[in-house]
Amino acid sequence: MDQISIRPFQENDRETLAAFRLSEQQQVYSSLPTDVVDDAVDDPDRVPCVVLNGGGTIIGFFVLHKHYQHEGYDTPHEVVYIRSLSIDEKLQGRGYGTQVAMRLPIYIQENFSNFDHLYLVVDAENTAAWNLYERAGFTHTATKEDGPIGKERLYYLDLDSKYVHNIKLGRDDAVQLPAIKIDIVRNQKETIGEIKGKVDRAELRITHLHVKAQERERGVASSAMRQIATFLRRDMPEIKQLTILTDDAAGWHKLFEKGGFVMMEDEGGQQKFVKYVNY
């Protein structure tokens, strides 16, 4: 698969963006680049960006909007919003959307170092989009019932965290239910960690999380925890809830919290963290 890159919009990109196409359905959720690029260029708080494939062809577009306040949500002033993100219809189905979502956190950290908060709004019916964002580390923080075209979801990403764009989760089919083992795989070939657990009806209770020693402190564990709900919705749709028990709340609290888990009541002297897979 081509490796994408992201850069700010340049004036000589206009011809390519003019040929950009989205289906009528996709235009319900996003805007064509030519419909928004001029407003972005004229606004010092907006940065239009293009996405290129390995051959240097523009395949995607989005706008980063500093200090934006989306109607109906109370978000911080020092915030960046991702707006009007789309992939050219002619080049869809090649995994570019996934690559963009995974690389966005690192790109914004590198280019907007003064900002700690990143948000985006996704229409609730656009499940393909918000599954991508959750896998990339975004956390669903609010739902608005009366957006412009119906229910919408607000997603948040902490820019003060570490993100890894090239890992993927895969189930070890040699392990039989109710036990489960999920490998953490880098670049689709190298296993650098694992998640083990036990399935009880609609719940997966995680009992073990391990990352190879040389890969620690790079954000692998937290990236895996952020991806796991999306993985389960696709591969094990019968699982509705993730649960973790730990007696080391001080050491694990931050990791699980950044993965979208919520700390619940003590259970048998251990701290309980819960994440709902479908909501």
Side-chain angles (χ1 to χ4, degrees):
M1 180 189 299
D2 285 346
Q3 292 300 307
I4 66 159
S5 59
I6 301 172
R7 63 162 171 80
F9 164 81
Q10 300 170 358
E11 283 298 321
N12 58 7
D13 296 330
R14 287 185 180 274
E15 183 177 353
T16 302
L17 293 180
F20 207 96
R21 294 290 178 264
L22 295 176
S23 68
E24 290 186 8
Q25 179 64 29
Q26 290 169 333
Q27 290 184 56
V28 172
Y29 300 130
S30 188
S31 301
L32 285 165
T34 51
D35 292 338
V36 297
V37 68
D38 285 333
D39 287 340
V41 169
D42 293 337
D43 185 344
D45 283 338
R46 291 189 239 185
V47 181
C49 300
V50 295
V51 184
L52 300 91
N53 64 14
T57 299
I58 294 176
I59 56 96
F61 176 86
F62 61 92
V63 175
L64 298 177
H65 198 161
K66 298 178 288 185
H67 310 300
Y68 177 69
Q69 292 294 304
H70 193 88
E71 183 179 356
Y73 301 108
D74 182 18
T75 52
H77 178 69
E78 297 302 318
V79 64
V80 179
Y81 266 80
I82 300 171
R83 304 183 66 192
S84 303
L85 173 60
S86 59
I87 304 296
D88 190 340
E89 183 182 32
K90 302 185 296 293
L91 298 167
Q92 291 174 13
R94 306 184 187 186
Y96 289 134
T98 299
Q99 284 199 60
V100 173
M102 298 296 285
R103 287 181 179 270
L104 272 171
I106 299 171
Y107 176 78
I108 296 172
Q109 283 176 326
E110 291 174 346
N111 292 275
F112 292 81
S113 58
N114 292 331
F115 290 82
D116 293 330
H117 309 285
L118 179 64
Y119 284 90
L120 58 85
V121 173
V122 184
D123 292 288
E125 293 184 357
N126 193 1
T127 55
W130 54 260
N131 269 292
L132 284 182
Y133 294 131
E134 288 189 10
R135 184 180 168 199
F138 287 83
T139 301
H140 174 223
T141 60
T143 299
K144 185 180 178 183
E145 297 291 334
D146 55 348
I149 62 170
K151 184 185 293 188
E152 62 185 23
R153 297 158 70 96
L154 178 70
Y155 278 88
Y156 169 71
L157 186 139
D158 180 3
L159 292 174
D160 195 33
S161 296
K162 295 178 180 178
Y163 296 92
V164 183
H165 75 270
N166 59 345
I167 66 167
K168 188 174 182 179
L169 304 183
R171 185 175 171 185
D172 185 343
D173 294 329
V175 177
Q176 300 296 311
L177 292 174
I180 185 172
K181 178 173 174 283
I182 301 170
D183 293 324
I184 306 171
V185 182
R186 180 171 58 195
N187 295 328
Q188 301 183 353
K189 58 183 180 181
E190 180 187 4
T191 299
I192 59 174
E194 63 186 24
I195 302 166
K196 292 182 178 179
K198 185 176 181 180
V199 174
D200 182 6
R201 296 188 292 273
E203 178 187 64
L204 171 58
R205 179 162 293 194
I206 296 174
T207 57
H208 179 73
L209 170 62
H210 173 74
V211 175
K212 289 182 178 180
Q214 64 269 29
E215 302 295 338
R216 296 171 190 168
E217 309 302 328
R218 298 182 182 179
V220 172
S222 56
S223 292
M225 286 293 98
R226 287 188 290 262
Q227 288 190 31
I228 192 167
T230 303
F231 166 78
L232 291 172
R233 278 196 293 270
R234 182 185 67 243
D235 288 54
M236 299 184 69
E238 68 276 13
I239 302 297
K240 309 300 181 186
Q241 177 177 311
L242 283 160
T243 302
I244 299 171
L245 294 177
T246 177
D247 56 8
D248 183 19
W252 292 99
H253 182 281
K254 188 175 182 180
L255 170 65
F256 297 141
E257 187 178 59
K258 288 184 179 295
F261 289 79
V262 177
M263 186 169 62
M264 310 293 281
E265 74 284 351
D266 287 341
E267 183 172 305
Q270 294 185 309
Q271 198 68 56
K272 182 178 182 181
F273 294 84
V274 172
K275 181 172 184 174
Y276 295 104
V277 176
N278 291 285
Y279 51 90

